[in-house]
Amino acid sequence: MSGLRPLHLRPNVKWSLTMKTLCFAAGCLAIATPALAETPVLDVLTYDSFVSEWGPGPAIEKAFEAECGCDLRFTPAGDGAALLARLQLEGARTEADVVLGLDTNLTAAARKTGLFAPHGQTPDLSLPVPFTDADFLPYDWGWFAFVHGKSLTAPGDFKALAASDLKIVIQDPRSSTPGLGLLMWVKAAYGDQAAQIWADLADNIVTVTPGWSEAYGMFLEGEADMVLSYTTSPAYHLIAEQDDSKAAAVFAEGNYLQVEVMGKLAASDQPELADRFLAFMLSDAAQSVLPVTNWMYPAHVPAEGLPKGFETLAQPAKSLLLSADEAEALRGPALDEWRAALAR
Amino acid sequence: MARRAGTLTALALAFVTLAPVAVVMVQAGGRGLTAPDWAALRFTLLQAVLSALASVGCAVPLARALARRRFAGRGALITALGAPFLLPVIVAVLGLLAVFGRAGVVNATLRGLGLPEVSIFGLGGVVLAHVFLNMPLATRMLLQGWQAIPAERLRLAESLGFTPREVWRHLERPMLRAVLPGALLAVFAICLTSFAVVLILGGGPAATTVELAIWQAIRFEFDLPRAATLAVMQVLACGGAVGLAGLVARAPGFGAGLDRLHPLPAPPGWRRGLDAAVLALATLFLAAPLLAVLQRGLPGLLSLPASIWPAAAASALVACLAAPLAVGGALALALGRAQGVRWLEPVAMLPMAGSQLVLGTGLFLIAFPFVTPARLSLPVTVLVTAVMSLPFAYRILAPAAQALVADYGRLAAALDLRGGAALRLLVLPRLRRPLGFALGLCAALAAGDLGVVALFATETGVTLPLAISRLMGAYRMDQAAGAALVLVALAFGLFWIGDRWGRGGTEA
């Protein structure tokens, strides 16, 4: 096993306490090396909620390790945007073999780093739009939507929402990926009129939060009638809490997609293992875990179908998605437009 | 006695806070500051100035009432003043919303009376939240000032038959002149880097802070020099405030006392009623959101996942390591400053204005070529939380250290009392109360700090704030509210232990 780096051999690296423990650990390391060197390590850089005990991480790690004869290690790094920043900080020296958790609004910037290698796979995807990308493979996806209580009659599009006196909470596109998704949604649906839509929405927006959790928490506390989230959010309440009081609004313009993708790093010292992991993530074993842990649709519907409860979710007839390059090009101007319209 | 220790600490502190900024600054890229950045700076300064004035303005009558009145529950109230400051920001905001929000108590009452509702969102809401979070801290800092007035001056005032107005003029006003600038400065600096409160309660992109621009620059644009430039702007703003506070502050010149206990004069009549009203209003304002947090979190306590407890232990460990480090450094700086090394003061305040994100990014860039960041998780967390809480410890210790050197410096020099002996015989006994308060506060801050840990996070070494954010990210808001109570209890427990030691069983 020539490609192994000694840093990876200490099992379950926790916290190094003092010089004493460091030296002690180094001693253990020297002893442990021959035995552990047989197990290759696959490093996956991902976002924080993926590895949490409620996320897909633990189940996926268990299932993949059972068949790969390797040690799968997740390194958590904030959310999707923080993940990309982390990768750019590490650059070519990164120890990660796979990055998992970018979305299509970030893939152009990720590709520009030149760190990713083509995945070379032709998976059978069940996305609502055609999707091909030589470097990035989707593993799950969802429609952005405004979530509300069922007692509310939801507006049918952005114009109806703006004309209503409903209060909404959204996320800031400068600090959160759903916020950026909404920015792209309005831009994809309205193009040059996007600024006007934002100006009309201004009196409906209670506030703009830094991340998804704050906005969703405020909505649950009754601070707003609707919150920007996903059409799959009601599934959490239904399946995990047996609460069917939440619904998601389908908009006539179409609902924008968030497609979560993963990619293999060109500098990986475990390229075969990385390929196996990418393929595994699209296998039934992994895909059946995602809907009830990440609360998103699987990129490839497993043989057993979607979990019970997903059939109750709202299904937008029309899906919007800008290409990675369009999203990258539009982000700056759309952001200026958004800021100018709402700051008034 | 401590000039060299102070200088060395200051150099180390300056290195730890400035080297990461420099490293971030010299990275490739950089498109300079834009018009929205200047707008963000204006709003940041405006809200920080207003928040500082409002917080300290409310703290003066409250601290005075606490200093001169004795009533049942006074000790408990003083201890409870630590609580708002220790709440995780999102929890505090949800607590405030439960009172002042659309579905809150205030608006429900207004609706019931047929009156128009009030909205908490906007500049007013930002200032309100900052007053809720920081007024208690300012009150504690001012209370220390009242308690530091030597009993001899109070007895003299009494025997001279001072009226309350004369007590104000000759004792309280000079004391406040020494303590107020520091308290204003502390609150200003906290609000300068406040991020989530401003964004959540600001109501839209018009309420944007420099810290948000830094986030955007690092996370979405990966424009590191721009982030560093913004961080430097923040430091300069704070530096200006430090300079201003230094110009205004004057030592009260009370001279040394014999540490006898003597109560402050408690004037009867309308002043008694006024103090009672101040105490009642402040208690109501602070307690209502706290009770909402408690009520919201209690059900979640029953369904907490087992992983909360190792996370709580990790947070407690960070706190116990970081607090002595921060207080030790702050003590060296405060004593050095008191002995006339003036430049120690701005250095001690430096971390308060520093951007945590830039600090973390810089440390990451420094460490990454040499070692896997995840292996540095604990040392970096301890170092950064210690550095970030040091200015608070400094602000608490500085006035007391100043008085110590003024009152006992010559005696110590005459006795050639130096080094460990001076620390044991003079500094620790004389500064026990502020030291205990600072230790408690730093430990609590360290327990509640999420900050830069994100870049150095490991799969397993989860701290309590991170566990809470993971629960919220996984829709589990009830459990998150329960876990937040655990965090508050932990932070508060640590604070109480330090504070209790400092008060040493004497009447506070």
Side-chain angles (χ1 to χ4, degrees), chain A residues 7 48 53 79 207 221 233, chain B residues 200 219 296 307 470 475:
Chain A
L7 273 182
D48 204 68
E53 60 184 292
D79 66 1
T207 197
E221 297 295 327
S233 298
Chain B
I200 298 174
R219 291 158 52 112
R296 182 74 187 81
S307 58
R470 282 185 176 179
Y475 288 92

Side-chain angles (χ1 to χ4, degrees), chain A residues 131-147:
Chain A
F131 188 93
T132 47
D133 191 314
D135 298 328
F136 298 101
L137 275 172
Y139 61 91
D140 67 15
W141 61 276
W143 281 291
F144 285 117
F146 286 96
V147 171

Side-chain angles (χ1 to χ4, degrees), chain B residues 348-421:
Chain B
M349 296 305 289
L350 206 53
M352 224 178 215
S355 157
Q356 291 211 3
L357 197 61
V358 171
L359 184 64
T361 306
L363 288 175
F364 185 89
L365 284 169
I366 293 169
F368 182 69
F370 306 106
V371 56
T372 310
R375 304 187 78 187
L376 293 178
S377 187
L378 180 64
V380 167
T381 309
V382 168
L383 179 71
V384 170
T385 45
V387 164
M388 285 291 169
S389 51
L390 187 143
F392 295 98
Y394 177 84
R395 286 261 66 97
I396 293 163
L397 292 174
Q402 199 85 36
L404 177 77
V405 170
D407 299 345
Y408 296 90
R410 277 171 301 173
L411 180 64
L415 295 171
D416 199 23
L417 189 62
R418 282 184 302 181

Side-chain angles (χ1 to χ4, degrees), chain A residues 64-146:
Chain A
F64 187 61
E65 284 181 351
E67 67 171 58
C68 74
C70 68
D71 182 6
L72 174 60
R73 246 174 235 175
F74 290 114
T75 303
D79 66 1
L83 189 59
L84 179 57
R86 168 72 174 261
L87 188 67
Q88 284 168 303
L89 279 178
E90 297 189 355
R93 285 179 314 210
T94 183
E95 284 168 2
D97 303 299
V98 169
V99 171
L100 182 145
L102 301 169
D103 75 7
T104 49
N105 292 325
L106 300 169
T107 44
R111 204 190 318 274
K112 232 187 273 172
T113 64
L115 297 173
F116 287 89
H119 53 73
Q121 305 192 18
T122 46
D124 174 23
L125 297 175
S126 35
L127 269 58
V129 293
F131 188 93
T132 47
D133 191 314
D135 298 328
F136 298 101
L137 275 172
Y139 61 91
D140 67 15
W141 61 276
W143 281 291
F144 285 117
F146 286 96

Side-chain angles (χ1 to χ4, degrees), chain B residues 65-66 69-75 77-78 279 283:
Chain B
L66 281 170
R69 303 289 168 194
R70 291 293 175 274
F71 52 92
R74 177 177 171 275
L77 180 57
I78 292 176
L279 287 167
T283 308

Side-chain angles (χ1 to χ4, degrees), chain A residues 145-152 154 166-171 206-207 209 211-230 233-237 241 243-249, chain B residues 90 93-94 97 102-103 121 200 296 472 475 477-478:
Chain A
F146 286 96
V147 171
H148 57 88
K150 270 194 180 151
S151 55
L152 182 105
L166 291 173
K167 296 291 178 195
I168 58 173
V169 209
I170 61 171
Q171 299 84 0
V206 175
T207 197
T209 65
W212 176 89
S213 309
E214 295 90 349
Y216 208 80
M218 285 174 67
F219 161 69
L220 291 182
E221 297 295 327
E223 282 303 312
D225 302 305
M226 303 173 93
V227 61
L228 178 70
S229 190
Y230 303 90
S233 298
Y236 166 78
H237 298 284
E241 296 180 339
D243 164 16
D244 67 348
S245 67
K246 304 284 185 291
Chain B
I90 175 64
V93 168
L94 288 179
L97 286 176
R102 191 176 77 141
F121 298 97
I200 298 174
R296 182 74 187 81
M472 291 189 75
Y475 288 92
M477 305 291 172
D478 294 340

Side-chain angles (χ1 to χ4, degrees), chain B residues 172-255:
Chain B
E172 294 178 318
R173 208 172 59 181
M175 181 279 294
L176 284 176
R177 179 101 194 241
V179 182
L180 265 188
L184 275 168
L185 183 61
V187 180
F188 172 80
I190 298 166
C191 298
L192 199 62
T193 51
S194 173
F195 167 61
V197 169
V198 179
L199 212 56
I200 298 174
L201 292 177
T208 287
T209 63
V210 177
E211 193 72 16
L212 175 72
I214 293 175
W215 265 57
Q216 188 192 355
I218 290 186
R219 291 158 52 112
F220 277 102
E221 293 160 4
F222 201 64
D223 188 343
L224 296 183
R226 193 168 109 81
T229 310
L230 289 162
V232 169
M233 269 169 42
Q234 232 168 232
V235 171
L236 288 179
C238 187
V242 172
L244 212 62
L247 283 180
V248 176
R250 288 276 179 283
F254 288 137

